Amino acid sequence: MKLKCLFVCASVISCSLLGGVVSFTFKAEPQKPRVCVIGAGIAGLTSAHYLKEEGLNFTVLEATQYVGGTWRYDPRVGTDEFGQPIHTSMYKHLRTNLPKQAMELSGFPIPKEYPSFPSWKLFYEYLKSYAKHFQLEEHIKFSHLVESVKRVENAWKVKHKNVKTGEQFEEVCDFIFVATGHHSKPNMPNIPGEELFKGTIIHSHDFREPDSYKGRRVMIVGSGPSGMDIGLDVADVSKTLFHSTHSKVTFRTPFPDNFIKKPDVKRFTENGAYFSDGSFEELDDVIYCTGFQYSYPFLDESSGLTFAPRYVIPLYHYMVNINQPTMIMMGMVVRACLVAAIDAQARYATALAKGNFSLPSKEKMLAEWQTRADLVKSRGRPMSDIHLLAEREDEYYAAIAKESGTSRVPPVLFKMRTLDTAAKLDNLYTYRNYVYNVIDENTFTRCYQDPRESRSCTP
C-alpha cells in the first residue's frame, strides 16, 4: 500500500491512498502577531501583562533602567548618566490625588494597609510588585531608546539603540503600542522679558522639593493639579507665594496669608513681573506649572497622525490611530481615573491585536472622532479638549468594553472621582483625609479621618 502526500503552502497536508482516496488536512496555527510596546510605565506594564496572559509575541522597549515611568522619583534633573533626558516629573512630597481604589490595576489589589491617598513611594512600590508578580521584566529590554518607528510594507519597523553601548537594533512588528505617556516635555509659556529676569525659572517637570525656596518670593504659574499641589508645598516654606492663573475654577480652600492670587503675567523685569491688572511684584523664583506637550519624536508622517503641542489626531476611542489602526496611543485621555483608563485600554488593545474583535470601518471611526471634534469646536474650546473625558468617562469605559469583549471599569470609580473632585474644590488641604471603601461595582462609602485623631473616621 502506497501513501501519496501533497504539501500545500507548508500549512496544509492532503494525503491520498492509491486505489481509493483518503484525505485528511492538518492546518497549522496561524502566525501570532508581533507587538512592540514602547515604554515600561503603567501603560507598558499593563500592556505586557495582558499580552503575556493572551500568549502573544511581544517586546517592551524601555529607554531607562527602570519600570514605572513618571512614578519613579529621581532627584536629578536634566539628563542621566547616559546623556538621556530625565523623563520623570515626580516630586518628593507628592501623594496621589485620587483614592487608591482608582489607582488599582486589575487583578492585583493595592495593599489594604496603604492609606486612601498613597505617597508616590508607596505607589511606585506597588508598580514594581506588579511587574514582579506577573514576571514582566523578562519581556522588557531596558536602556533601549526607540529612535524611529516607520510604516513599511504593511509592517512597523522599529529602530532602537542600547543607550549604554550605542548598539543599534531593528524590530519588525505587526502592532505598535505607544506607551510613553505625555508628561515629560514641558509646555513653556514664553512670557515677554524672561531673558531679563535675574531670578530662577523652572518648569514643574524639574521641581523636586520645596526646601530651596525657604524665605523666598516665589511665583507659581498655572492652576492645574500640579500648580495647586506644588503651590501649597512651596507656600509652607516661602516668604510669599504668588499664584498667577486665569482659571475660572473657584477653590474654597482657606489659603494661608502668604498665598496671594494674581492674574496672568504680562511681562518680566529684572527683579519681578507685571500682571495683566497693572500690578507689579518683586520675585526671586518662578515655577511654571503649565502642563506638558505631546511629544513623539520617533514617529514620522508614515504614522498617519497629526501632531501638535497639545493634541494628537485623529484617534478612535481616544487611542486607535484611525489612519493606521495597528498603532495604539496609550494614556492620551485627560480628566479621568487615568490608571484605570490605561488598564482598560491595555485590555482593549490586546484583544485587538489577538483578533478577538474587528474595528469599525475607517469611515465609522472618523465619524466618531469628528463628532467629538465638532463638540469641542461648538463649545469654543481649543482642540486639546479632544482628549478630555470628564463627564463622559464612565460612558467611555462601557463603550470600549462592549466593543472589545473585555472587562469593564466599574462605574463606582467614576462616582468616586466625581466626589473627590468636589472635595478638592472644598479644601485642597483636607480632601486626602477622606477614606473611601468600595462596596460593589456601583457603590462606595466615604468617611473623614482627622489626622490628629487616632479614632476611626466618621461619615
Side-chain angles (χ1 to χ4, degrees):
M1 183 180 293
K2 294 182 179 179
L3 189 67
K4 185 166 64 179
C5 295
L6 175 66
F7 293 82
V8 182
C9 299
S11 62
V12 177
I13 304 175
S14 178
C15 297
S16 62
L17 184 63
L18 293 178
V21 177
V22 176
S23 64
F24 48 94
T25 302
F26 298 96
K27 290 187 177 180
E29 287 288 326
Q31 185 176 0
K32 294 178 181 179
R34 177 157 174 72
V35 182
C36 286
V37 181
I38 306 175
I42 292 175
L45 291 176
T46 52
S47 295
H49 171 206
Y50 295 119
L51 288 166
K52 180 179 180 180
E53 190 173 61
E54 293 297 332
L56 294 181
N57 181 16
F58 73 97
T59 298
V60 180
L61 301 170
E62 167 57 44
T64 74
Q65 303 175 74
Y66 315 95
V67 299
T70 198
W71 283 95
R72 184 184 68 86
Y73 177 79
D74 192 327
R76 300 172 298 177
V77 298
T79 57
D80 64 15
E81 64 269 35
F82 304 111
Q84 298 301 312
I86 300 290
H87 291 293
T88 178
S89 301
M90 190 55 53
Y91 45 95
K92 188 175 182 179
H93 294 159
L94 183 139
R95 291 171 63 192
T96 67
N97 63 357
L98 285 171
K100 64 181 179 182
Q101 292 88 344
M103 306 290 292
E104 191 170 273
L105 298 173
S106 182
F108 194 72
I110 284 182
K112 290 183 179 180
E113 63 270 20
Y114 276 25
S116 236
F117 293 81
S119 66
W120 69 264
K121 188 173 184 179
L122 285 175
F123 188 68
Y124 182 54
E125 289 300 320
Y126 168 73
L127 292 179
K128 289 194 294 183
S129 297
Y130 178 89
K132 183 177 180 180
H133 177 78
F134 293 111
Q135 299 179 323
L136 302 179
E137 290 193 356
E138 63 192 56
H139 297 277
I140 303 172
K141 292 184 178 179
F142 290 102
S143 299
H144 277 251
L145 174 70
V146 173
E147 297 185 309
S148 171
V149 175
K150 293 182 181 294
R151 187 70 176 168
V152 181
E153 297 179 353
N154 296 319
W156 296 103
K157 287 193 175 180
V158 182
K159 293 183 179 179
H160 53 101
K161 74 173 181 180
N162 185 315
V163 298
K164 294 181 179 180
T165 66
E167 188 177 1
Q168 301 281 339
F169 302 87
E170 185 174 275
E171 309 264 348
V172 178
C173 305
D174 301 294
F175 282 83
I176 291 285
F177 293 2
V178 180
T180 54
H182 54 93
H183 295 99
S184 61
K185 183 177 181 180
N187 181 58
M188 303 296 283
N190 191 26
I191 297 171
E194 282 182 355
E195 73 283 358
L196 302 175
F197 184 59
K198 293 184 176 180
T200 68
I201 297 178
I202 67 167
H203 189 272
S204 62
H205 173 64
D206 291 332
F207 175 79
R208 294 294 183 266
E209 48 78 26
D211 296 348
S212 59
Y213 297 101
K214 186 175 182 179
R216 297 174 69 82
R217 298 164 297 185
V218 184
M219 178 172 68
I220 298 287
V221 178
S223 60
S226 65
M228 303 310 299
D229 212 27
I230 292 173
L232 295 181
D233 200 17
V234 174
D236 281 344
V237 299
S238 64
K239 178 181 179 181
T240 311
L241 192 290
F242 299 102
H243 184 213
S244 170
T245 176
H246 54 248
S247 173
K248 296 179 181 179
V249 175
T250 301
F251 289 96
R252 294 178 287 277
T253 299
F255 293 102
D257 293 339
N258 69 330
F259 193 107
I260 301 172
K261 297 180 181 179
K262 303 295 292 186
D264 284 343
V265 182
K266 187 175 182 180
R267 63 183 176 89
F268 283 102
T269 66
E270 288 187 354
N271 64 338
Y274 283 97
F275 297 86
S276 59
D277 62 357
S279 62
F280 174 83
E281 299 291 351
E282 292 186 349
L283 304 170
D284 298 308
D285 307 284
V286 176
I287 305 173
Y288 287 145
C289 298
T290 46
F292 296 86
Q293 295 185 6
Y294 293 94
S295 178
Y296 306 94
F298 47 85
L299 298 179
D300 65 7
E301 65 278 0
S302 69
S303 72
L305 292 171
T306 297
F307 299 94
R310 303 309 296 269
Y311 61 84
V312 178
I313 57 175
L315 299 175
Y316 174 62
H317 281 328
Y318 300 78
M319 59 174 157
V320 179
N321 178 349
I322 294 174
N323 292 319
Q324 296 288 358
T326 53
M327 174 179 283
I328 310 296
M329 305 294 291
M330 309 284 292
M332 304 290 282
V333 294
V334 177
R335 205 176 299 171
C337 297
L338 187 57
V339 173
I342 289 172
D343 198 12
Q345 288 182 338
R347 292 193 292 273
Y348 179 102
T350 299
L352 178 63
K354 193 177 181 183
N356 290 352
F357 73 101
S358 297
L359 292 169
S361 66
K362 182 177 180 179
E363 291 71 24
K364 288 184 177 180
M365 290 192 290
L366 277 172
E368 186 268 353
W369 177 84
Q370 191 64 57
T371 298
R372 288 192 285 116
D374 290 343
L375 182 61
V376 170
K377 292 177 183 177
S378 70
R379 293 176 173 176
R381 298 291 300 163
M383 185 52 72
S384 57
D385 273 14
I386 197 70
H387 298 293
L388 207 66
L389 273 183
E391 71 276 1
R392 296 189 298 276
E393 183 179 8
D394 190 57
E395 174 189 326
Y396 173 69
Y397 297 145
I400 63 174
K402 181 179 179 180
E403 183 173 284
S404 63
T406 56
S407 59
R408 184 200 196 287
V409 174
V412 68
L413 295 190
F414 171 66
K415 295 177 181 180
M416 288 172 65
R417 184 178 73 82
T418 301
L419 195 58
D420 175 66
T421 298
K424 290 183 179 75
L425 294 177
D426 281 339
N427 195 324
L428 288 166
Y429 283 107
T430 62
Y431 79 92
R432 291 186 178 96
N433 294 341
Y434 284 103
V435 177
Y436 293 76
N437 287 291
V438 173
I439 305 302
D440 55 40
E441 290 191 349
N442 291 285
T443 314
F444 71 95
T445 61
R446 186 184 77 162
C447 59
Y448 188 82
Q449 176 68 65
D450 192 325
R452 297 167 299 181
E453 298 179 359
S454 57
R455 63 184 181 183
S456 299
C457 59
T458 56

